[in-house]
Amino acid sequence: MQEKLNRRDWFKTSLALTAGLSVTPALVQNLMAAPVSEAERAFLKQGKTTGAKVRLNSNENPYGPSEKAKKAVMQVLTEGNRYAFNELEDLKKIIAQKEGVDPSFILIGAGSGELLCQTGIAYGLEGGRVLSAYPTFGLLMNYAEEMNAVWDKVDLNEKLEFDYQKLLSSIKSDTRLVFSCNPNNPTGTVVDSAIVKSFCEEASKKTMVYADEAYIEFLEPSDQKSMVQLVQRTPNLIVSKTFSKIYGLAGLRIGYIVAHPDVVKKVGKYGDTISASQTAIAAAKASLGDEDFMKMTRDKNTIARKIFTDYLDHKKVFYGKSRTNVLLFPAPKEGKTMLTQLEEKGFLIRIWEYQQKEWCRVSIGTAEEMKAFVKAFDEVIA
Ligand SMILES: Cc1ncc(COP(=O)(O)O)c(C=O)c1O
């Protein structure tokens, strides 16, 4: 209920903001998403922005898009007057081949976020409950709640990892869907794929399972064990992936789910049949499987993340062992003040609430950005 009210508040706030009442819409754009804490709501209400430049608040890839993707986008611009019917079908086939399924198992959306929303609507409309660990990426559950489902949450374990045992035992008779996020956002923590696999196998006997793999390519290739391997024989499983993270195409908006054709139809009903643009499709085609670009992002991200974790280790701050481009740790100072003071120094981060405490979520930027951020952060908490 609280979440629901918060979401409505957010819609109201953003309406007021875009009407130009108190702050520039740029601040809203910078925040990129609905507030997840009182600190963020209070920060928004302050209505001032210094035009912060370094966005450590949206888990974006600071190195993308790749040169190949940019070239493809430039080339396809002349087709901008054409609906991308054929191009979408082509991309679907390419993705299907990569994932080892028939194209009827693939649904492409304008970002995986769109597909999370549609899935939230499709299953939320059935009433009952949706279940996830918390904190996690809440979009699907937010939409399900809007459709009158109840969002059941279980805590992460003490290492800030998804607790799959607890999740499995929390499935109730009216749980319509259970959400898994591995690696998880906002923690960047990863659970062994064998545990996730056995969870998906067991949970899917009871309810629909949604396995969000938005950050899986941040793991070394030998660790990228996708749950897509289960989809053919598991009608109760949806796996989602995105081009926004490792490929750096967040602003172009393209992602996809892999699921049984009946599920694809059920979820697809709540979206446009062709929401991906010519440019997004072209960039995705040029990016898919670009091992060099993915490795470059991974390697640079690892170096940049270490700059910040070295600092946190030095300060003896506890944090979840992230293997992606985001970190979560207890806020060392009151959340709204941190947001305000960091923004004044040119940095945007997020503040989450969990177990009656405030937590900082920091996305990993470039090494230079993280060095500058460490300095600013240290001054703010001094
Ligand atoms: C876990 C997770 N899933 C999905 C998304 C949605 O990404 P997109 O809509 O850009 O594909 C995000 C965005 O941050 C995310 O963190």
Side-chain angles (χ1 to χ4, degrees):
M1 189 63 188
Q2 185 61 24
E3 288 289 331
K4 232 169 151 174
L5 287 175
N6 292 343
R7 196 165 173 84
R8 296 215 171 99
D9 284 352
W10 157 249
F11 286 133
K12 278 191 223 140
T13 316
S14 49
L15 267 182
L17 294 175
T18 42
L21 294 182
S22 53
V23 297
T24 66
L27 178 58
V28 181
Q29 276 161 18
N30 283 340
L31 273 167
M32 292 288 288
V36 286
S37 61
E38 281 310 319
E40 291 192 345
R41 275 180 280 281
F43 172 66
L44 257 177
K45 270 194 204 130
Q46 284 182 160
K48 67 183 174 72
T49 172
T50 53
K53 288 182 219 64
V54 182
R55 289 162 40 150
L56 305 182
N57 63 339
S58 302
N59 303 355
E60 294 157 341
N61 178 342
Y63 314 107
S66 71
E67 289 309 315
K68 281 185 199 163
K70 283 191 235 177
K71 202 167 151 212
V73 167
M74 296 307 283
Q75 278 173 354
V76 86
L77 275 181
T78 52
E79 297 297 311
N81 57 327
R82 301 291 177 196
Y83 291 111
F85 298 122
N86 296 337
E87 292 80 356
L88 190 69
E89 287 310 307
D90 272 359
L91 179 62
K92 211 182 267 184
K93 282 187 199 140
I94 295 168
I95 291 173
Q97 196 171 18
K98 174 184 174 286
E99 302 293 1
V101 293
D102 186 81
S104 57
F105 279 65
I106 307 294
L107 181 63
I108 297 175
S112 61
E114 182 179 48
L115 302 166
L116 283 159
C117 297
Q118 287 175 221
T119 309
I121 294 169
Y123 289 87
L125 275 174
E126 294 175 355
R129 300 163 181 281
V130 287
L131 170 68
S132 79
Y134 192 85
T136 193
F137 191 68
L139 195 56
L140 187 158
M141 286 68 74
N142 288 148
Y143 268 71
E145 278 191 313
E146 288 296 325
M147 300 298 124
N148 284 330
V150 173
W151 179 4
D152 287 338
K153 299 171 184 151
V154 302
D155 280 357
L156 302 176
N157 68 18
E158 72 288 350
K159 290 198 262 174
L160 298 185
E161 298 162 347
F162 250 63
D163 186 337
Y164 282 97
Q165 199 55 48
K166 212 191 289 172
L167 206 55
L168 188 62
S169 61
S170 303
I171 296 173
K172 297 189 175 138
S173 58
D174 58 347
T175 303
R176 309 277 182 238
L177 182 146
V178 55
F179 178 78
S180 153
C181 196
N182 196 45
N184 188 27
N185 171 20
T187 55
T189 51
V190 179
V191 173
D192 188 280
S193 62
I195 295 175
V196 183
K197 180 167 174 268
S198 121
F199 167 81
C200 288
E201 285 168 342
E202 287 310 307
S204 63
K205 289 178 191 158
K206 303 176 178 185
T207 188
M208 178 56 69
V209 179
Y210 192 106
D212 185 316
E213 297 183 351
Y215 299 88
I216 195 167
E217 300 91 350
F218 275 91
L219 307 181
E220 289 304 319
S222 58
D223 288 340
Q224 291 177 23
K225 305 233 171 65
S226 171
M227 293 307 122
V228 163
Q229 54 173 308
L230 301 176
V231 167
Q232 301 263 26
R233 59 182 153 97
T234 317
N236 263 358
L237 177 64
I238 302 173
V239 179
S240 73
K241 304 210 181 179
T242 182
F243 289 88
S244 296
K245 304 299 175 183
I246 199 78
Y247 294 120
L249 302 181
L252 285 171
R253 311 303 301 127
I254 187 155
Y256 62 92
I257 58 172
V258 186
H260 260 246
D262 286 349
V263 178
V264 162
K265 276 195 208 109
K266 176 168 172 164
V267 173
K269 259 200 332 215
Y270 300 101
D272 192 357
T273 48
I274 181 156
S275 56
S277 66
Q278 290 278 14
T279 45
I281 293 169
K285 267 188 204 161
S287 299
L288 195 67
D290 184 344
E291 297 297 334
D292 291 344
F293 186 78
M294 286 192 273
K295 179 168 170 22
M296 181 275 292
T297 295
R298 257 194 313 269
D299 291 351
K300 288 194 169 174
N301 179 66
T302 303
I303 292 168
R305 187 178 63 217
K306 187 166 184 308
I307 292 169
F308 193 47
T309 53
D310 280 353
Y311 167 77
L312 293 176
D313 289 340
H314 173 69
K315 288 278 173 186
K316 300 200 172 8
V317 174
F318 163 77
Y319 56 90
K321 292 281 176 277
S322 171
R323 290 170 68 189
T324 70
N325 62 342
V326 64
L327 272 170
L328 190 79
F329 55 93
K333 188 172 169 175
E334 194 260 319
K336 189 190 104 186
T337 311
M338 291 202 68
L339 289 174
T340 308
Q341 293 180 349
L342 282 170
E343 205 247 355
E344 280 163 10
K345 290 178 181 292
F347 296 91
L348 293 165
I349 66 159
R350 303 293 303 266
I351 296 287
W352 283 58
E353 280 158 8
Y354 172 50
Q355 293 183 330
Q356 283 84 49
K357 280 194 297 199
E358 292 182 313
W359 298 70
C360 294
R361 191 196 78 172
V362 177
S363 308
I364 305 301
T366 64
E368 289 64 37
E369 286 170 344
M370 296 321 287
K371 279 182 204 154
F373 179 68
V374 162
K375 185 170 174 292
F377 190 85
D378 199 50
E379 287 164 5
V380 163
I381 65 165

